[in-house]
Structure formats: structure tokens, C-alpha cells
Amino acid sequence: MYAVTEAGLDLWGGRFHEGSDERGADFTRSVEVDSALADDDLVGSIAHVHGLAAAGLLTAEEGNAMVAGLEALRTEVAAGAFAWDPALEDVHLNLEAALTERIGPLAARLHTGRSRNDQVATDLRLWSRRAVAELDAAILGLERALVTLAEREGEAILPGSTHIQPAQPILFGHHLLAYVEMLERDRGRLADARHRLNVSPLGSGALAGTGYPLDRAAIAAELGFDGPTANSLDAVSDRDFVVELLAAIALGMVHLSRLAEELTWWSNPRFGFVRLSDAFSTGSSMMPNKKNPDPAELVRGRAGRAIGALTGMLAVLKGLPLAYQRDLQEDKPPLFEGVATYAASLLVLAGVLESISVDRVRMRAAADEGYITATALADALVRRGIPFRLAHHVVGTLVAEAEAAGTGLEALDDTTLMAALRTVGDPAAAALGADPGTPDLLRAAASVDAALASCDVVGGTAPSRVAAAIAAARSRLGA
Ligand code: ARG
């Protein structure tokens, strides 16, 4: 297909008289990266051939011969048998040369009405669509692992925290389902990005459109696109979809990183809430005692790289005039790496959760620290007519008393409880302070179980709410 001159391979037709310098060729070559687009490129070429035939630019026999050659190349690529030639710069030129070898001079008609600019934009959209499907399945896999763990250990009680300080008791299942919410939003962002990326640039040519009567809508439909792009300049230079995917991936990785961070704390012996299985831990080359949560740490670390992929891509785009610029070739490494990293992180965290063991006793014991039922106790006072700010003050004095006495709120004696009610000048507090049933009422309200049960609102941690939320998640996700 390409004439070979004395100076070297003649890739660029008659205009060039010298072969390229090795340093230039090495620098511009992309086949090591974009060979991942091979099947998408061939599928796009097949649709383009159908378009050329429909427009009368190829006879039916020519079209069939070309499609047969392209299908044969798909098989060769799928079998890993395709020999990539680095001298042929990129995936597109490699495949066109291979088609020439297979079907001869007829292959020279394939690139009619097409540029690598609309070609690569099409390939990358097809690739991205497949990537979204793969990521969506992996997110669902992690959601299932979270829900399965919630079904198994969701009734375990642990201290919920804010500011990394003990705050209020929560159910472990409630905590796990918080991540399911994040992951569902992540799925939504990917679906949204897919919706916008699913249009066909084919027929946009290098930048201005094509001089042949190609039925762009029919070609788009054959490729499963919702329709053709509306502006040829935009079509060849738009990489918004890469940014959108990388943004969805970066945020998804941030969510995974937060979960990973919690796993590192929970598995620390000081917490002892969970034990990671040996299968998802690593030891130390020097310290025989060590069992480290390396998969979780690496998810956290790779979230940093995913954020870098997004910011890197934005920086590539920010100074580019219309239309296609070669800078756009730099879209693939961050996108490919971002997708691979996210998929692998989702898989490994699902494995970690599937094999984790939970120490309910240690979790529950931690809930006895930090006076985490104080809010529930204040709420009980409010239910007896005391304004919340005053109730907050009363319970604050009780926390100080309990701290001084080295006891829990639910173990405070009658005298202390009654005295605290007298620290505020409020008729409801006075009435409560005169009622002999008050100390038992307050001690009961200060129990962890009562605190949990009191958060009985939509989205709250009351056991009945959590059980219903777990069941709803299960029925949505299936087994
Ligand atoms: N490898 C190129 C890319 O990924 C393909 C398009 C090349 N187009 C061009 N006019 N040089 O962007």
C-alpha cells in the first residue's frame, strides 16, 4: 500500500521526499497505546465500507470483499495474532496496511471520505462505550459485596464519628449502605457520560465534512450510535467525553479511596473492628508480625493517579484551537489507565469485602466510649418539653460528670441526673426533676439500643430502617 522509497517508507504520499527521522517517528508513534482500539477501528471501518457501497462509491462485490478482509482482521486481532508494525505509526495505518496485504489494491479505496481524525474520534467513542459497560458491571459487583456484607454483619453496632471523634451509634449495615449510595451515583455519572458520547463522528472527514454523499445517520445507526455529530469541526476535536469519563472515574476512585481508608483504620489492632483475609493482605519483608492492608492502600494511592489523569486531560485540551490537533493523541493514555485502574480497584475491594471478618464485640465495645448516646439523651429531654438548647446544656453537664466519675451516661446515679436538670431554669426541666421516674427514664434513653432505635426516619440508622434499606438494595441489585 505504501510506496517504499530509498529514503524509507512513504507514509504520506507524493508530497514527501525524505523518510522520517527516527527520533521524530519514535516521538509521534502511538501504536503501542492505540492498538487497544483495533477492534473498534475495524468495526468502524466495516460501517464506513457499507456507507461507501450505499453511496455507490464501491460496488457490492468490492464492499463484500473489503468487509470480508476487515472481518478476517478482527479475528486475527482477537486471537492476538496480529503483528503490529511500529514503522506504521498507529492502529489505523497498521490495519489499513494489513488490509492491503489481504485484499490487494482494492484496500486503497477504504479511506475514501474519511480522515484519521473522524476515524479515531469514532474508535474512541466505541471503546468508551464498552468501557462504561465494563465499569458499570464492576461497580455493581462491589455494590453486591457491600450489600452481602450488610446482610451478614449489618446488625453490628459501631460508633459513628464526625471529626474522627466518637459521635453517635450506628449500625454497620448503615455505614456500608452509605457506600452503596455513592456507587449508585457513580453509575449514574457514567450512564450520563455514555449518553452524551454516543454519537458518530464518521463523515466529518479531517475537519470540514466529506465530499461524498455518505448517509451519516445510517452509518451511525449501524454502529449503535444515537445519531451523527452535528458539526464536523467539533466532531474531530471534541474530547469532552474523555474528560467526562475521567471525571466520573476520579470521583468514583475518591469514593473507593474513602472506603479503603476506613478499612485501614478498622483493621488496625487499636480498632480491631475487622480482619482482612490473608488473601488480601501482605506481610513485611523484615517484620514478622506485620499484616498490612496493601490492596486498600493502593486503591487509595491510585485514586491520586486517577485525579491526575483528569487534570492532565483538561490541561491537554485547554489551549487547543479548532479543529484536530495532534495533542489530542494524548487522550488515550490517561483514559485507558483511568478505566483500567478503576476497574481493578472495584474488583479488589469486592474481594476484600467478600473475605473480611467482622468483630462485633470490638465494635460494640467501642460504642461504649465517647458518650455517644448524649444526643439521644438530649432528644429524650426535648420529648418531655425541654427546649433543645437547654437539653443540650443539661446533657453536657452529665457528660462532664460521667467523665469525672469514669462512668457511662447510662450508669449515672439518681442524684447526679436530678441535679443536672436543675442547672437550667425551665418549667419542664423542673417538672421532670420532681418526677421520681426520671432517673430510670434517662438511663434508658442513654442506652445504645435506645439511641439507635430513636433515629427512626427515612435514611436513619434505626434497625428497622436499615433492615428495610438492605432489603431494598438487594432486590434492586439481585443476587
Ligand atoms: N494517532 C492519532 C490520534 O490518536 C490519530 C489521528 C491522527 N491524525 C492526524 N491528522 N495526524 O489522535
Side-chain angles (χ1 to χ4, degrees):
M1 155 184 179
Y2 303 104
V4 179
T5 67
E6 266 173 44
L9 201 61
D10 166 26
L11 282 181
W12 313 124
R15 192 189 201 290
F16 280 63
H17 302 297
E18 295 168 25
S20 50
D21 186 284
E22 205 182 317
R23 289 165 295 184
D26 284 349
F27 193 70
T28 51
R29 176 170 49 240
S30 59
V31 67
E32 293 86 350
V33 173
D34 62 26
S35 55
L37 298 174
D39 194 61
D40 305 296
D41 194 72
L42 291 163
V43 166
S45 286
I46 289 168
H48 181 62
V49 169
H50 289 146
L52 291 176
L57 294 157
L58 295 172
T59 66
E61 301 87 275
E62 286 172 335
N64 290 341
M66 241 185 231
V67 169
L70 291 164
E71 287 289 2
L73 289 177
R74 288 187 75 192
T75 308
E76 197 178 318
V77 165
F82 191 92
W84 298 100
D85 180 357
L88 292 174
E89 191 174 289
D90 63 19
V91 60
H92 322 291
L93 298 181
N94 262 270
L95 292 173
E96 197 177 331
L99 186 68
T100 306
E101 270 177 40
R102 276 187 180 268
I103 67 171
L106 173 61
R109 295 187 183 277
L110 172 64
H111 214 51
T112 311
R114 188 176 72 169
S115 156
R116 283 185 297 159
N117 299 350
D118 56 349
Q119 188 177 358
V120 73
T122 304
D123 294 0
L124 200 56
R125 284 171 189 270
L126 291 171
W127 187 93
S128 297
R129 224 167 54 181
R130 292 192 290 118
V132 167
E134 183 202 346
L135 292 176
D136 190 66
I139 298 173
L140 279 172
L142 181 56
E143 284 189 42
R144 287 200 181 90
L146 285 160
V147 171
T148 301
L149 185 57
E151 286 166 341
R152 200 183 85 202
E153 306 284 359
E155 289 167 1
I157 296 163
L158 75 159
S161 60
T162 63
H163 311 264
I164 322 186
Q165 303 296 324
Q168 288 184 269
I170 55 170
L171 289 186
F172 188 47
H174 198 52
H175 199 112
L176 295 170
L177 286 187
Y179 284 99
V180 173
E181 291 298 311
M182 293 177 226
L183 295 180
E184 273 297 292
R185 291 196 294 273
D186 295 332
R187 292 184 65 214
R189 270 179 284 272
L190 286 175
D192 191 42
R194 186 200 186 282
H195 171 68
R196 258 186 305 282
L197 73 80
N198 199 36
V199 286
S200 173
L202 277 183
S204 300
L207 76 164
T210 173
Y212 306 95
L214 295 176
D215 184 346
R216 295 194 59 214
I219 295 170
E222 174 171 341
L223 292 170
F225 287 122
D226 296 329
T229 52
N231 180 295
S232 61
L233 295 172
D234 182 47
V236 295
S237 42
D238 169 31
R239 294 296 183 275
D240 289 2
F241 66 99
V242 176
V243 172
E244 288 191 47
L245 286 178
L246 286 173
I249 289 168
L251 184 48
M253 283 297 295
V254 165
H255 293 153
L256 301 190
S257 181
R258 296 178 77 170
L259 174 59
E261 169 79 5
E262 303 213 271
L263 290 170
T264 63
W265 284 108
W266 289 344
S267 61
N268 180 301
R270 275 287 167 115
F271 281 73
F273 290 179
V274 301
R275 278 181 76 86
L276 304 188
S277 68
D278 287 356
F280 287 96
S281 302
T282 35
S284 159
S285 60
M286 180 173 159
M287 300 170 282
N289 55 316
K290 291 289 283 185
K291 185 173 166 190
N292 297 326
D294 290 34
E297 294 167 67
L298 283 169
V299 166
R300 197 174 55 192
R302 286 180 196 168
R305 285 171 57 181
I307 294 166
L310 170 62
T311 57
M313 190 63 221
L314 286 167
V316 166
L317 293 176
K318 74 173 274 295
L320 296 188
L322 297 179
Y324 179 85
Q325 315 296 332
R326 191 61 180 267
D327 315 44
L328 292 171
Q329 181 168 291
E330 300 308 303
D331 56 1
K332 287 167 219 61
L335 180 62
F336 291 177
E337 190 188 321
V339 168
T341 297
Y342 189 28
S345 301
L346 288 160
L347 287 185
V348 83
L349 281 183
V352 167
L353 295 182
E354 282 158 12
S355 60
I356 209 167
S357 44
V358 172
D359 189 334
R360 291 187 183 212
V361 175
R362 291 290 297 268
M363 278 190 186
R364 179 63 187 79
D368 282 333
E369 292 169 2
Y371 314 100
I372 64 176
T373 59
T375 307
L377 183 52
D379 289 343
L381 297 180
V382 168
R383 272 181 226 111
R384 291 307 179 105
I386 302 178
F388 181 75
R389 274 294 152 234
L390 302 185
H392 187 287
H393 179 85
V394 168
V395 178
T397 59
L398 289 174
V399 169
E401 295 281 356
E403 208 164 22
T407 176
L409 291 172
E410 71 292 351
L412 286 172
D413 60 39
D414 293 11
T415 318
T416 308
L417 289 166
M418 294 306 236
L421 285 167
R422 289 192 295 272
T423 61
V424 289
D426 176 72
L432 208 53
D435 181 344
T438 294
D440 282 343
L441 175 99
L442 297 187
R443 280 187 288 262
S447 77
V448 165
D449 286 339
L452 278 171
S454 72
C455 291
D456 189 12
V457 288
V458 172
T461 196
S464 61
R465 298 282 181 175
V466 174
I470 293 172
R474 171 59 71 194
S475 74
R476 181 174 53 73
L477 291 170

